[in-house]
């Protein structure tokens, strides 16, 4: 992954500007800028500035870990008022350098006034602290002041030259060996001193990297964060393309056009909102392959939650095509946003969901019975709602769409393969047809009760979707009795009922997994309007 980011950077530019490569986009939306005039040596107050795309790189922002006494950036995250002194001290020490001594002196001399002005500001923990320099009638951001820019680069590329000599693991050049990769990627803890038990506390020889390669790695990360990074259900997805430069540029250009013409930036940066648009775009670049990396960021920590490597465009094409086929059949596109709620009902929900995501994109196998367990557990929640039939109809159709989609992608393992068709011939074994149709008839009875009584007492017979074979057979008998009682045992109902009875007889001594049985029953409930289509069409007329 690290080497791919490096190669991506190399393919994009031979020599990225160091200060641009090293800086990061602030995660906060506004800044408090200590404003000074270096011509008159005056402090001009604290300005409030919005952070937008047009000025985000001008801050030379880089997060400063809490254990550092000096900021490596002229812009730093603010914290609550009680921690203001400590944050300000780190910020001030950045300028304590011969090149910026004049700036340091102005800030130091007015320190008390600056702190008082900051204390009057609201939402300190939601802002960054930065510097605005006025000279010759112009106001300059940190990146527009040469001396600040030079110090920023020095502080973020310097190493301890007393360390032993090693070779850069990317280009082979001799370099002072020093653990710096974890400063670029904090998840790369393998080069932290003492991390590997078999090594001594002095781990300087684990990984060497030269200044030029470091700049490329920094630039590669920044490029991904700005162009190929998406919100991913509470985490962040990085898409790392491998291939030719022009193909990568076309992808980025398309995303920017989508943002301009179709989507807001917030929508564009949410994978869950425009998953198919992203997949469609990526699949068209046949010369590329992709690494999908799901990252979790919390304070200063970074953790890789999921890593999917070398995903070919052909796999993305299959995902798009099969998703469209399911949408045509059921009116539901089974995107990850539809799939995820079914895997939220049990412990370890993130792990279960991410494992299924891995299978979808890589083609590896996922347990059918694990999936059904999660789906049925989610469907059982609908029995806690007031309008059970409405909620089971929605969730049941979504569940079927998810199941059909995963079957089409051939990622489910366990049990016999289910061939899905429409309506009465839904499943390939007689007991499955019988259970499916019994579910449809149960919903039909509940629909009648809801219309006539404004309640669905028959739902209590379904045991909160924890039925076994004998329960379903008993429910089938009660459905037929209720249909006669209500006078709704017409030709259509009798035909479906007879087909279900015939399927029960053909089943013989059948054994069904609890979760699969209740899943099939639920899908039958959700599809009851299609099964009893003629009656519902007559009612609409």
């Amino acid at each position: 992954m690290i080497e791919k980011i490096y190669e991506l950077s190399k393919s994009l530019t031979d020599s990225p500007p160091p200060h641009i490569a090293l800086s990061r986009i602030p995660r906060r939306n506004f800044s408090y800028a200590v404003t000074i005039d270096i011509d008159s040596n005056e402090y001009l107050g604290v300005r409030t500035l919005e952070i937008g795309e047009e000025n985000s790189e001008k801050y030379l922002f880089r997060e400063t870990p809490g254990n550092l006494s000096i900021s490596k950036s002229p812009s730093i995250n603010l914290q609550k008022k009680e921690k203001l002194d400590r944050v300000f001290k780190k910020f001030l020490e950045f300028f304590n350098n011969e090149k910026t001594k004049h700036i340091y002196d102005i800030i130091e001399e007015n320190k008390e006034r600056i702190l008082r002005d900051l204390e009057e500001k609201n939402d300190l923990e939601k802002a960054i602290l930065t510097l605005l320099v006025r000279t010759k009638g112009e106001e300059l951001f940190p990146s527009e002041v040469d001396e600040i820019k030079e110090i920023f680069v020095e502080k973020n590329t310097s190493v301890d030259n007393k360390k032993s000599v090693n070779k850069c693991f990317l280009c082979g050049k001799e370099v002072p060996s020093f653990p710096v990769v974890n400063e670029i990627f904090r998840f790369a803890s393998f080069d932290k001193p003492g991390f590997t038990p078999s090594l001594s506390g002095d781990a300087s020889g684990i990984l060497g990297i030269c200044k030029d390669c470091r700049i490329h790695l920094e630039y590669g990360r920044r490029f991904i964060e700005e162009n190929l990074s998406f919100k991913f259900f509470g985490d962040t997805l990085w898409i790392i393309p491998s291939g030719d430069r022009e193909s990568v540029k076309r992808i980025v250009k398309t995303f920017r056009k989508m943002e301009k013409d179709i989507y807001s930036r917030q929508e564009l940066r949410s994978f869950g909102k425009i998953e198919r648009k992203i997949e469609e775009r990526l699949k068209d670049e046949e010369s590329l392959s992709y690494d999908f990396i799901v990252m979790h960021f919390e304070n200063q920590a970074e953790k890789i939650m999921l890593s999917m490597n070398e995903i070919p465009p052909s796999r993305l094409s299959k995902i798009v095509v099969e998703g469209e086929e399911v949408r045509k059949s059921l009116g539901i596109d089974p995107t990850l946003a539809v799939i995820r709620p079914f895997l939220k009902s049990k412990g370890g929900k993130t792990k279960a969901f991410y494992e299924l995501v891995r299978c979808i994109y890589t083609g590896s196998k996922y347990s059918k019975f694990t999936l059904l367990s999660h789906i049925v557990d989610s469907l059982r929640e609908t029995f806690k709602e007031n309008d059970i039939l409405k909620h089971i109809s929605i969730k049941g159709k979504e569940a079927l769409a998810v199941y059909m989609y995963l079957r089409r992608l051939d990622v489910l393992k366990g049990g016999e393969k289910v061939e899905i068709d429409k309506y009465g011939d839904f499943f390939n074994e007689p007991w499955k047809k019988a259970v499916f149709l019994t579910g449809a008839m149960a919903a039909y009875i509940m629909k009648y009760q809801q219309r006539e009584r404004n309640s669905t007492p028959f739902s209590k017979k379904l045991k909160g979707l924890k039925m076994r074979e004998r329960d379903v057979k008993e429910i089938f008998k009660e459905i037929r009795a209720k249909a006669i009682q209500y006078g709704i045992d017409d030709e259509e109902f009798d035909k479906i009922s007879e087909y279900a009875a015939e399927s029960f007889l053909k089943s013989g001594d059948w054994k069904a997994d609890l979760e699969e049985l209740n899943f099939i029953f639920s899908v039958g409930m959700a599809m009851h309007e299609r099964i009893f289509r003629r009656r519902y069409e007559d009612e609409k007329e």
Side-chain angles (χ1 to χ4, degrees):
M1 168 188 164
I2 291 175
E3 289 179 327
K4 287 177 181 176
I5 293 175
Y6 171 76
E7 292 299 332
L8 173 65
S9 175
K10 292 280 286 186
S11 71
L12 293 169
T13 176
D14 293 329
S15 181
H19 69 285
I20 296 297
L22 291 164
S23 64
R24 298 283 182 265
I25 298 174
R27 299 181 189 274
R28 301 182 178 185
N29 296 323
F30 65 98
S31 66
Y32 290 131
V34 175
T35 308
I36 62 172
D37 189 315
I38 58 174
D39 298 329
S40 61
N41 294 327
E42 288 184 275
Y43 163 62
L44 304 176
V46 174
R47 294 262 301 279
T48 303
L49 303 174
E50 288 189 7
I51 299 174
E53 283 188 79
E54 70 286 350
N55 67 7
S56 60
E57 68 181 28
K58 295 180 180 180
Y59 286 95
L60 297 183
F61 176 79
R62 197 174 176 92
E63 289 187 2
T64 301
N67 59 345
L68 292 183
S69 59
I70 300 174
S71 174
K72 291 189 176 184
S73 166
S75 302
I76 186 171
N77 281 333
L78 278 166
Q79 298 183 44
K80 294 182 179 180
K81 290 181 180 180
E82 55 267 26
K83 297 182 179 180
L84 188 55
D85 283 345
R86 187 171 64 186
V87 172
F88 185 80
K89 184 177 180 181
K90 290 183 181 183
F91 166 76
L92 176 60
E93 282 301 310
F94 174 87
F95 303 99
N96 192 5
N97 185 287
E98 287 184 7
K99 296 175 183 177
T100 52
K101 190 66 166 59
H102 57 304
I103 293 174
Y104 176 87
D105 288 342
I106 297 172
I107 300 174
E108 171 65 28
E109 184 178 342
N110 294 278
K111 180 172 66 174
E112 298 303 323
R113 286 179 59 196
I114 296 171
L115 285 169
R116 283 198 302 270
D117 289 345
L118 285 170
E119 286 173 352
E120 293 177 359
K121 299 293 185 180
N122 297 319
D123 297 326
L124 291 177
E125 66 275 16
K126 297 180 181 179
I128 68 170
L129 178 63
T130 192
L131 182 73
L132 205 58
V133 175
R134 181 177 293 179
T135 181
K136 298 177 182 178
E138 288 187 272
E139 288 185 342
L140 307 177
F141 280 86
S143 72
E144 297 168 324
V145 181
D146 289 341
E147 302 95 312
I148 295 176
K149 193 162 57 178
E150 289 172 15
I151 295 171
F152 174 71
V153 173
E154 287 174 8
K155 286 181 178 291
N156 286 284
T157 57
S158 61
V159 297
D160 184 349
N161 290 319
K162 294 179 181 180
K163 296 291 182 180
S164 60
V165 175
N166 198 358
K167 286 188 176 181
C168 174
F169 81 102
L170 291 170
C171 71
K173 186 189 300 181
E174 284 194 349
V175 292
S177 183
F178 193 78
V180 293
V181 174
N182 65 76
E183 294 180 11
I184 308 169
F185 304 101
R186 289 190 293 276
F187 61 80
S189 52
F190 49 78
D191 71 345
K192 289 183 179 179
F195 179 79
T196 307
S198 61
L199 297 174
S200 68
D202 181 4
S204 61
I206 298 177
L207 201 61
I209 184 170
C210 70
K211 180 178 177 179
D212 291 340
C213 289
R214 173 174 183 158
I215 294 296
H216 271 295
L217 269 184
E218 297 271 12
Y219 182 74
R221 173 171 180 148
R222 178 181 177 129
F223 183 85
I224 290 167
E225 287 182 329
E226 290 186 3
N227 300 286
L228 296 169
S229 176
F230 304 88
K231 294 179 181 177
F232 194 81
F233 308 103
D235 289 322
T236 299
L237 172 67
W238 287 356
I239 298 178
I240 307 171
S242 298
D244 68 274
R245 178 176 184 173
E246 294 306 314
S247 295
V248 173
K249 284 186 172 181
R250 282 196 297 269
I251 286 174
V252 175
K253 185 177 180 181
T254 299
F255 285 153
R256 286 173 176 167
K257 189 175 188 300
M258 286 164 60
E259 177 183 342
K260 181 180 179 182
D261 297 345
I262 307 172
Y263 301 99
S264 69
R265 182 170 180 80
Q266 184 176 6
E267 287 175 320
L268 180 63
R269 290 299 170 223
S270 174
F271 189 87
K273 290 184 181 296
I274 59 167
E275 175 189 336
R276 292 291 183 245
K277 291 291 183 182
I278 293 171
E279 291 163 345
E280 285 174 2
R281 183 63 195 93
L282 297 179
K283 74 179 176 61
D284 292 337
E285 296 296 342
E286 296 181 0
S287 64
L288 299 178
S289 64
Y290 308 94
D291 284 10
F292 281 19
I293 312 296
V294 179
M295 305 287 297
H296 179 72
F297 300 105
E298 187 172 353
N299 298 324
Q300 300 297 323
E302 294 179 354
K303 183 179 180 181
I304 297 178
M305 304 297 293
L306 179 61
S307 178
M308 299 171 282
N309 304 315
E310 304 289 343
I311 300 172
S314 58
R315 182 63 186 177
L316 297 173
S317 180
K318 183 172 180 61
I319 286 170
V320 171
V321 168
E322 299 302 352
E324 176 61 17
E325 288 299 314
V326 173
R327 188 195 65 77
K328 287 178 182 178
S329 176
L330 293 173
I332 297 169
D333 187 357
T335 62
L336 296 182
V338 173
I339 293 172
R340 183 172 178 264
F342 288 106
L343 277 76
K344 289 179 66 178
S345 57
K346 288 191 173 183
K349 59 189 177 187
T350 300
K351 182 179 179 182
F353 173 62
Y354 282 166
E355 184 55 37
L356 182 53
V357 171
R358 182 197 304 279
C359 295
I360 289 171
Y361 285 104
T362 66
S364 52
K365 300 297 183 181
Y366 192 87
S367 168
K368 165 189 165 182
F369 297 108
T370 298
L371 175 72
L372 292 181
S373 175
H374 284 289
I375 286 178
V376 174
D377 200 59
S378 179
L379 291 172
R380 286 172 182 143
E381 293 295 312
T382 63
F383 277 70
K384 299 176 182 178
E385 304 290 344
N386 290 329
D387 191 342
I388 296 172
L389 198 54
K390 175 184 176 182
H391 288 90
I392 197 72
S393 293
I394 295 171
K395 293 292 288 185
K397 287 176 185 175
E398 290 178 344
L400 178 59
V402 169
Y403 188 81
M404 287 178 65
Y405 177 58
L406 297 177
R407 273 297 183 201
R408 288 180 175 276
L409 291 178
D410 194 25
V411 301
L412 295 182
K413 67 177 179 180
E416 296 182 12
K417 185 171 181 179
V418 176
E419 301 296 338
I420 298 177
D421 199 352
K422 291 185 179 181
Y423 316 135
D425 295 326
F426 237 99
F427 299 101
N428 64 334
E429 293 182 43
W431 75 263
K432 296 173 183 175
K433 295 176 184 179
V435 172
F436 169 79
L437 292 173
T438 303
M441 290 188 291
Y444 184 66
I445 295 295
M446 290 169 62
K447 189 81 170 182
Y448 176 85
Q449 291 179 334
Q450 189 176 58
R451 184 172 62 246
E452 299 296 323
R453 305 183 181 184
N454 199 29
S455 65
T456 55
F458 197 80
S459 62
K460 295 178 181 178
K461 304 282 186 181
L462 309 185
K463 296 186 175 182
L465 294 182
K466 293 182 180 179
M467 298 172 288
R468 299 191 179 276
E469 297 97 313
R470 62 179 178 275
D471 300 317
V472 176
K473 290 178 178 178
E474 187 62 33
I475 286 169
F476 175 70
K477 294 177 184 177
E478 294 191 34
I479 287 171
R480 300 187 71 170
K482 286 292 181 183
I484 295 171
Q485 178 185 339
Y486 297 151
I488 55 175
D489 55 331
D490 58 7
E491 182 181 350
E492 183 181 27
F493 183 91
D494 286 344
K495 183 178 178 181
I496 294 169
S497 178
E498 287 173 11
Y499 188 62
E502 182 182 334
S503 296
F504 273 122
L505 287 173
K506 288 181 179 179
S507 300
D509 185 19
W510 52 284
K511 297 293 181 183
D513 175 79
L514 177 69
E515 309 294 16
E516 186 171 17
L517 183 150
N518 285 276
F519 166 68
I520 294 170
F521 191 94
S522 301
V523 170
M525 292 183 70
M527 301 294 289
H528 76 280
E529 289 190 4
R530 294 197 183 193
I531 302 302
F532 291 93
R533 177 175 293 175
R534 192 179 68 184
R535 173 175 285 274
Y536 285 114
E537 286 176 351
D538 291 343
E539 289 178 357
K540 288 178 182 178
E541 292 176 2

